[in-house]
Amino acid sequence: MISRSLLLVLLVLACLQSFTTAQNANGPKKCCFTYQTNQIPVKYITKYEITESQCSKPGIIFTMKDTRQVCADPHVDWVKSHMNKLDQQSPVFKSFVH
């Protein structure tokens, strides 16, 4: 009896997991909900990504040398300046999140 209950619970959890995954399949992969407020030195940034227009807030995702990702407000001057510097170094830095 316990094994049937356990099997039923596992089956329900598997169905919920696939439903959750299917719900997110058509949405944006990465969005910013909060922004880094302190300026990050550009020497620590390896690249940036622009979030999709489907996100509720516009955002720039900076990838750091240690692979952390940090969200920044694209309307702030230091963020614009860092994006320009990275674009001048190499066109590889700019990418869009799809």
Side-chain angles (χ1 to χ4, degrees):
M1 183 69 170
I2 292 175
S3 62
R4 286 185 180 176
S5 298
L6 181 60
L7 182 60
L8 181 60
V9 168
L10 291 175
L11 182 61
V12 169
L13 288 175
C15 289
L16 287 174
Q17 175 65 31
S18 63
F19 176 72
T20 303
T21 304
Q23 284 289 80
N24 293 331
N26 295 327
K29 291 187 180 181
K30 295 181 189 176
C31 290
C32 292
F33 299 103
T34 59
Y35 298 129
Q36 170 73 26
T37 54
N38 297 328
Q39 182 172 339
I40 304 165
V42 73
K43 66 182 180 180
Y44 297 124
I45 301 171
T46 59
K47 69 176 184 173
Y48 72 89
E49 302 169 77
I50 301 169
T51 59
E52 294 181 52
S53 60
Q54 297 166 322
C55 295
S56 60
K57 293 172 74 170
I60 302 300
I61 302 172
F62 287 122
T63 301
M64 312 302 285
K65 286 185 177 180
D66 63 3
T67 69
R68 286 182 299 135
Q69 293 188 317
V70 178
C71 283
D73 185 343
H75 301 106
V76 175
D77 288 338
W78 71 264
V79 176
K80 293 178 191 176
S81 173
H82 283 15
M83 291 168 60
N84 286 333
K85 287 177 185 173
L86 293 169
D87 286 341
Q88 290 172 3
Q89 290 176 5
S90 170
V92 175
F93 286 113
K94 184 178 180 180
S95 64
F96 291 89
V97 180
H98 296 288

